[in-house]
Amino acid sequence: MPAPEDLVAPFETIVARYNMTGIVDFIGPLLDDVAGWLGMPTMYALKLATEDWLTAEMIYPVGGNNYEIYDAVRRKLDRDDVLLGSEVVSATRSQDQDQDQVRLVVKTSCTTRHIRARNIIIAIPPSPRSLEGLALDKKELSLVEQFNYSALYTAAVRVKGLPVTIRNKRADTPYGQLELPALVSLNLRDSPDMAVAHYVSSAPMAEADVRKRIVDDILRLRMAGFNVSQPEILAFASHSPHEARVSSELIRGGFYARLNDLQGYRNTWWIGAAFQGHDSAQIWRLTRDLIEKHILKRLG
């Protein structure tokens, strides 16, 4: 079944066609983290603006720390079964569904483990580089290598003199589109003088370069009348590659039908934002459905 043309057409085309300028401003904080969002297929813009977000019904951990759910899962598992900071250095994945048809060699900072399994679930952003250790075959690689990504970086910054959350916009471009790379937002937090900076690029950047640019861009607020102090970056994280997407032509050609055919292929199942959305609740639901409806049946 072909994708509806309105979902495949560039977002800027649909915005103009249906006079959706208002919704662009409304979901702008979500779109800002994606490079070239105005020209991407409309389905990706709508995928970012989830129903939970639009209806303000998102669920947050009581402590405000999104990592709490992962800590809870870890406590449920045997400590020896959780390999943090690990890397798959080699893999053998059979197309048969017999027992122990997946073999992985996993390396951590202090040990190397050999793992045998009947099925595996992958949540890694699907790129040839990130999946190198899994020895993708031609079918898998021909799909994974089609994805394009943004580079998104975040930083916790201590800075005085920032009275409001700031979204960086240009006055001379449609919908304030920025020339990337750029600092796209500074989001105030409850703690005094604390903000979270979002920095976006069309291509990966060195951490040192991003850190310097964040500080420089914040200091430029002085030119706009904000008496900001010298920023101090307390924590830094790379969320790259961010927002996997393909061209309208590939979508029309059945890309996602072929991508979904990878589920279960070579005893491997796929989850994550590329297969669902940048929404933890959606990804956890997809994981549950894969396990309950497919993987457990295979295990008998």
Side-chain angles (χ1 to χ4, degrees):
M1 179 178 178
E5 185 56 31
D6 279 356
L7 293 180
V8 179
F11 186 48
E12 58 185 334
T13 299
I14 299 303
V15 169
R17 181 179 297 168
Y18 295 105
N19 191 24
M20 294 169 58
T21 302
I23 198 172
V24 174
D25 292 333
F26 183 63
I27 66 175
L30 297 172
L31 299 175
D32 287 345
D33 286 346
V34 181
W37 58 263
L38 199 55
M40 68 185 182
T42 299
M43 59 175 281
Y44 293 118
L46 299 182
K47 186 162 72 85
L48 287 166
T50 65
E51 181 180 358
D52 290 343
W53 191 89
L54 292 173
T55 57
E57 294 182 355
M58 298 190 74
I59 299 173
Y60 298 93
V62 173
N65 181 2
N66 288 337
Y67 200 78
E68 288 179 12
I69 189 170
Y70 299 98
D71 282 337
V73 171
R74 187 183 182 191
R75 288 193 294 270
K76 289 283 187 180
L77 299 172
D78 188 306
R79 178 173 293 272
D80 291 336
D81 289 339
V82 180
L83 303 177
L84 298 178
S86 58
E87 177 186 2
V88 176
V89 295
S90 68
T92 301
R93 295 178 294 130
S94 169
Q95 295 186 38
D96 297 328
Q97 296 183 22
D98 298 331
Q99 187 173 1
D100 296 342
Q101 291 302 305
V102 178
R103 301 192 180 195
L104 306 175
V105 178
V106 180
K107 184 178 181 181
T108 69
S109 60
C110 57
T111 187
T112 297
R113 297 277 290 274
H114 294 259
I115 298 173
R116 298 172 62 186
R118 292 180 64 181
N119 292 266
I120 60 172
I121 300 176
I122 294 177
I124 305 170
S127 71
R129 182 175 180 180
S130 63
L131 298 172
E132 186 176 4
L134 288 169
L136 302 183
D137 67 8
K138 290 182 179 180
K139 177 179 179 178
E140 295 166 325
L141 188 59
S142 67
L143 293 167
V144 168
E145 65 185 4
Q146 300 292 334
F147 280 117
N148 294 308
Y149 291 92
S150 299
L152 170 64
Y153 307 92
T154 58
V157 184
R158 177 180 289 126
V159 56
K160 296 180 180 180
L162 195 66
V164 294
T165 287
I166 292 177
R167 287 179 60 201
N168 190 9
K169 293 292 182 183
R170 290 184 56 163
D172 58 347
T173 59
Y175 307 104
Q177 284 271 282
L178 298 172
E179 182 178 346
L180 301 179
L183 178 67
V184 299
S185 63
L186 281 169
N187 302 287
L188 289 180
R189 289 297 182 258
D190 295 334
S191 301
D193 306 326
M194 287 293 299
V196 174
H198 285 211
Y199 196 93
V200 174
S201 174
S202 299
M205 298 176 60
E207 178 179 334
D209 192 15
V210 177
R211 284 173 172 266
K212 181 180 184 304
R213 286 170 176 259
I214 288 174
V215 170
D216 290 346
D217 284 354
I218 293 175
L219 290 176
R220 288 192 184 94
L221 290 172
R222 293 173 177 175
M223 300 172 60
F226 293 93
N227 186 25
V228 295
S229 64
Q230 178 70 30
E232 179 186 2
I233 295 180
L234 304 178
F236 180 92
S238 171
H239 298 273
S240 308
H242 177 69
E243 183 53 35
R245 57 191 187 274
V246 297
S247 67
S248 298
E249 291 71 21
L250 285 173
I251 298 172
R252 292 189 185 98
F255 175 85
Y256 280 100
R258 296 191 298 275
L259 187 69
N260 286 331
D261 285 343
L262 291 183
Q263 296 292 18
Y265 176 67
R266 300 179 71 192
N267 298 293
T268 302
W269 304 83
W270 304 77
I271 62 171
F275 292 81
Q276 186 63 279
H278 284 277
D279 184 313
S280 294
Q282 288 186 13
I283 293 172
W284 280 108
R285 284 194 290 266
L286 174 61
T287 306
R288 179 198 61 197
D289 290 345
L290 283 178
I291 293 174
E292 293 181 350
K293 297 179 181 179
H294 301 285
I295 297 177
L296 288 180
K297 290 182 179 179
R298 284 195 173 191
L299 296 177

